[in-house]
């Protein structure tokens, strides 16, 4: 997880537009949730992860494949940040027939990362 793209608008658009692979998108969310992989112990360090996440996911969940993990991510976005993709990026959503569960989950992950940016920095760059 050492070669992750920076967390900025361009990266969010790259997630939405499928320019970043699923593994990297998962790793971005894991990293910002606080998960760190310790290569020496070959285990996940969860000391920076919120207790409500560790209780359910002692190892990071695959948000692309797991509807329950994605639902938990959706619920963790504060209400005032739920529309940031639309408000700050002008994302109008996917067109009917051009998306499936994978794209919807990637948009959820992008929305969560955008909310994380707003919460941690107070701005979207």
């Amino acid at each position: 997880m050492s070669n992750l793209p920076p967390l900025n608008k361009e990266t969010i658009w790259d997630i939405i537009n499928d320019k970043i692979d699923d593994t990297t998108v998962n790793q971005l969310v894991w990293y910002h949730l606080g998960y760190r992989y310790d290569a020496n112990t070959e285990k996940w360090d969860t000391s920076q992860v919120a207790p409500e996440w560790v209780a359910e996911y002692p190892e990071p969940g695959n948000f692309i494949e797991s509807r329950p993990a994605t639902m938990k991510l959706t619920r963790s976005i504060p209400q005032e940040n739920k529309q940031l993709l639309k408000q700050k990026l002008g994302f109008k959503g996917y067109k009917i027939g051009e998306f499936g569960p994978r794209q919807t989950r990637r948009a959820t992950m992008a929305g969560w990362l955008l909310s994380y940016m707003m919460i941690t920095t107070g701005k979207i760059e």
Side-chain angles (χ1 to χ4, degrees):
M1 290 196 328
S2 59
N3 293 7
L4 295 176
L7 188 53
N8 56 32
K9 281 184 181 180
E10 182 180 340
T11 297
I12 300 300
W13 274 117
D14 286 349
I15 292 169
I16 290 169
N17 293 322
D18 211 359
K19 292 181 179 178
I20 298 176
D21 64 271
D22 291 348
T23 299
T24 302
V25 178
N26 267 315
Q27 289 175 350
L28 265 170
V29 174
W30 298 343
Y31 182 84
H32 293 292
L33 280 170
Y35 291 94
R36 302 294 185 273
Y37 188 75
D38 185 333
N40 294 325
T41 63
E42 297 182 347
K43 294 185 179 183
W44 287 96
D45 173 0
T46 58
S47 60
Q48 299 177 57
V49 181
E52 63 270 14
W53 279 96
V54 175
E56 205 166 331
Y57 296 97
E59 292 189 357
N62 184 331
F63 295 101
I64 300 293
E65 295 178 3
S66 171
R67 185 176 184 276
T70 306
M71 293 298 295
K72 184 169 181 68
L73 199 64
T74 299
R75 290 185 186 115
S76 73
I77 300 171
Q79 188 62 39
E80 64 272 14
N81 291 350
K82 297 264 187 206
Q83 297 295 318
L84 288 178
L85 284 174
K86 183 168 48 171
Q87 293 169 346
K88 299 293 183 180
L89 298 185
F91 179 59
K92 295 182 181 8
Y94 297 106
K95 293 180 181 164
I96 293 177
E98 294 180 1
F99 71 97
R102 183 177 161 275
Q103 289 78 14
T104 301
R105 291 178 185 152
R106 287 174 67 92
T108 297
M109 294 164 76
W112 185 88
L113 288 165
L114 204 58
S115 176
Y116 177 85
M117 285 171 51
M118 183 62 85
I119 291 166
T120 58
T121 68
K123 57 188 173 195
I124 309 263
E125 298 180 340

